[in-house]
Amino acid sequence: MSGVGYRQLWAADPAGWRAAGSAWAGLTGSVDRHADELAGTAGRLQSGWSGAAATAANGRLTGLRDEVTSVAPALIETDQALAELAGQLAVAKAQLAEAVARAEAAGLTVDRAGVVRAAPAQPASTAAIAVAGVASALRAAIERADAADRAAADRLTELARAAGAGWASQAPPGRPAAGAPPSVVRAWWSGLTPAQRRWLVGHEPALVGALDGVPVAARDQANRLLLGARREELLAERRRLSARVPPGPLASIRLRALAARLAGLDALTERLAGGAPRAYLLGLDPTGEGRVVVALDDPDHADRVLTYVPGMTAGLDDAPGELGRAARVLARCAALAPGERSAAVLWLDYDAPDFLTEAASSGQARDAGPALHRFQEGLRATHEGPPARQTVLGHSYGSLVVGVAAREHGLAADALMFVGSPGVGVAHADELGVPAGQVWASRAPDDVIRLARPVDELGRPALLGAAPLAAVLAWPDRPGSELWFGHDPADAGFGGRVFRSGRGGHAGYWEPDNPALDGMARVVLGR
């Protein structure tokens, strides 16, 4: 699609480019199988062959396996390049359609070459202004598509050149110090050559995949390379537990939880394999309840970015469902603003409470604060082009995570949203450090969280021990704006802004017919 013009943009097929990218990424399965076959062959030779020839053969097989596995990051990068092209083309086509609709509403015509003309009967002065406005909008759409086409061509050409020269490279010197700020990590990464970056992705994926300040594309490549190993960790744990005969009650509970985590990981892997918008894996830890960070579309190239922090009981087992919530907000953003590009991130990189006794404490929210702060700083550091509008959304206990992080560490965010909140750890919106008027909240009229009233400090410990549900919900319901973790952010006295929610309980904010879904999307878009 070289030299994009009006006709070419109308005919462009973003879904076709996205499918082509997925096909390239799908080849990584074949790469893994061939690498495993080579490793198996080497193992069998070592078990029955020794001497200089055996050593040489083993070295050759190891080298072949390294060459085969080095192709996998390139396949993933090809997928990323084509997905980026598809995303930009989709936005450009939407802008083109908007411009043509604007022309029709003004009584103008746009011919097949993209030339805008006024009707003969229109006054020359007003017609000239209208024609110029539509022509400018058409030109902006075409220029966006042309720039995306050239960027994709350049990236694929560079990949082909690197493949021709061989993927081998020397390890880059130095690594960022532990805890280095994302801005320092970004500067370090920018100073590396493309070959050095690819070496790090292929040889140190655990480092690259976890570093805030490394671009989204590289983190996604690294974490996808680790998917197989992460799944094997869960399978190994299941084998250990299953080996206990008979399994005790605790082992049985752990086996059920493990099966749920495996199912969650498999569903997540399936989503990573295809679908639109493309998913980017920015973090994965299967241990414990499991942690995961996934972006829908590339935050580094989006105009608007949402970070969604879920609440109590969230873990790897229900990550696909939580990602679905982020996807619904993103889809509503696309419906409201098809000519803008948005991305949504599921941020589940903390130990969410599993029980009400845990959720009654702010400890896990405080523990999560530094990681959420670094993640948001990383999004700012790696974004390309004009800064994106960054919004952080917290649901239920996740709203406390967001509030505590904003209060104690600061968040690189232009807006904060809280839905179904038990309080966010502050008494007033101005303690959260975001621009005035950019703190938003919503609460369904039938959300049980409204019952999360504080009890007196002397009675709280006893009530938590004897009746944790009653303690957290503080029955009976009492009037007032104070919740368990502070002033209700959906109360006018909190100082923020409120968008409406329909009935749907504690989990219904993302339902298609709930006005809260529109409200969340409009905050993300800044409307």
Side-chain angles (χ1 to χ4, degrees):
M1 233 183 77
S2 179
V4 178
Y6 180 83
R7 292 183 187 178
Q8 290 91 339
L9 183 52
W10 268 123
D13 179 16
W17 288 109
R18 178 70 194 98
S22 296
W24 278 99
L27 295 175
T28 56
S30 298
V31 168
D32 292 340
R33 285 192 296 274
H34 288 308
D36 290 343
E37 289 170 2
L38 287 169
T41 300
R44 288 191 296 273
L45 286 175
Q46 281 184 312
S47 65
W49 191 16
S50 61
T55 301
N58 183 63
R60 179 56 180 151
L61 285 170
T62 300
L64 284 172
R65 185 177 184 277
D66 289 343
E67 290 180 21
V68 168
T69 55
S70 69
V71 175
L75 296 173
I76 298 170
E77 189 171 349
T78 300
D79 176 30
Q80 292 174 338
L82 296 179
E84 174 65 18
L85 174 61
Q88 294 287 8
L89 287 179
V91 172
K93 284 175 72 72
Q95 292 175 336
L96 196 73
E98 286 180 353
V100 171
R102 177 179 164 189
E104 292 174 350
L108 309 177
T109 60
V110 181
D111 67 19
R112 296 182 65 184
V115 177
V116 186
R117 292 185 175 86
Q122 288 182 300
S125 58
T126 56
I129 294 173
V131 167
V134 171
S136 176
L138 291 173
R139 188 164 52 251
I142 292 168
E143 288 174 353
R144 180 170 195 149
D146 190 57
D149 179 56
R150 284 185 279 107
D154 289 347
R155 190 171 176 184
L156 293 173
T157 299
E158 200 278 326
L159 261 177
R161 185 183 304 114
W167 297 109
S169 175
Q170 293 296 319
R175 303 290 184 274
S183 58
V184 172
V185 174
R186 177 58 170 148
W188 163 75
W189 187 262
S190 297
L192 301 176
T193 66
Q196 289 173 327
R197 295 172 192 161
R198 291 193 179 101
W199 188 95
L200 283 166
V201 167
H203 291 80
E204 299 183 21
L207 170 72
V208 174
L211 275 178
D212 294 313
V214 169
V216 164
R219 292 183 69 175
D220 175 61
Q221 293 167 28
N223 284 309
R224 283 172 181 257
L225 294 180
L226 294 169
L227 264 176
R230 297 295 184 245
R231 189 174 193 279
E232 182 54 40
E233 290 173 20
L234 292 179
L235 292 173
E237 184 179 350
R238 185 172 68 179
R239 287 192 294 270
R240 286 194 300 272
L241 289 172
S242 299
R244 301 177 183 178
V245 180
L250 182 58
S252 297
I253 293 172
R254 290 178 63 188
L255 276 169
R256 287 195 294 272
L258 186 57
R261 272 187 287 153
L262 271 167
L265 180 57
D266 288 343
L268 187 62
T269 301
E270 183 177 352
R271 177 60 182 87
L272 289 167
R278 188 186 189 278
Y280 292 77
L281 184 59
L282 305 184
L284 177 64
D285 180 359
T287 60
E289 298 299 319
R291 301 184 181 196
V292 65
V293 182
V294 183
L296 297 175
D297 213 334
D298 186 349
D300 284 350
H301 296 96
D303 306 308
R304 310 282 185 265
V305 179
L306 168 69
T307 301
Y308 164 50
V309 182
M312 181 177 165
T313 74
L316 183 56
D317 56 343
D318 56 3
E322 297 290 2
L323 189 62
R325 290 177 170 180
R328 287 174 207 157
V329 180
L330 191 58
R332 192 57 57 94
C333 288
L336 293 171
E340 297 180 20
R341 189 170 175 193
S342 300
V345 182
L346 167 64
W347 189 86
L348 183 45
D349 195 14
Y350 82 106
D351 179 21
D354 292 317
F355 306 102
L356 284 170
T357 48
E358 293 177 334
S361 166
S362 63
Q364 283 159 278
R366 289 196 305 271
D367 292 344
L372 182 56
H373 164 78
R374 284 194 305 273
F375 181 76
Q376 287 299 120
E377 291 290 330
L379 289 181
R380 283 277 195 237
T382 60
H383 190 269
E384 298 184 14
R389 174 177 168 83
Q390 305 274 9
T391 301
V392 184
L393 163 66
H395 173 237
S396 192
Y397 192 87
S399 68
L400 179 65
V401 172
V402 174
V404 170
R407 182 193 71 202
E408 296 187 357
H409 307 282
L411 287 177
D414 301 289
L416 301 179
M417 272 194 292
F418 309 111
V419 296
S421 175
V424 300
V426 301
H428 197 272
D430 61 12
E431 299 176 54
L432 295 170
V434 298
Q438 291 300 322
V439 176
W440 297 81
S442 185
R443 190 185 70 209
D446 58 343
D447 189 339
V448 70
I449 205 71
R450 73 190 189 282
L451 302 176
R453 304 294 185 190
V455 295
D456 66 88
E457 290 301 318
L458 289 176
R460 180 183 299 205
L463 193 54
L464 274 173
L469 182 63
V472 176
L473 298 183
W475 286 318
D477 188 12
R478 297 179 297 175
S481 58
E482 289 301 310
L483 298 176
W484 190 263
F485 292 111
H487 201 116
D488 181 359
D491 178 70
F494 184 74
R497 302 167 73 179
V498 178
F499 55 92
R500 189 170 68 88
S501 173
R503 299 179 69 84
H506 191 55
Y509 297 96
W510 292 267
E511 293 302 315
D513 58 349
N514 194 330
L517 184 58
D518 260 8
M520 287 185 277
R522 292 185 185 279
V523 173
V524 173
L525 294 169
R527 298 187 173 185

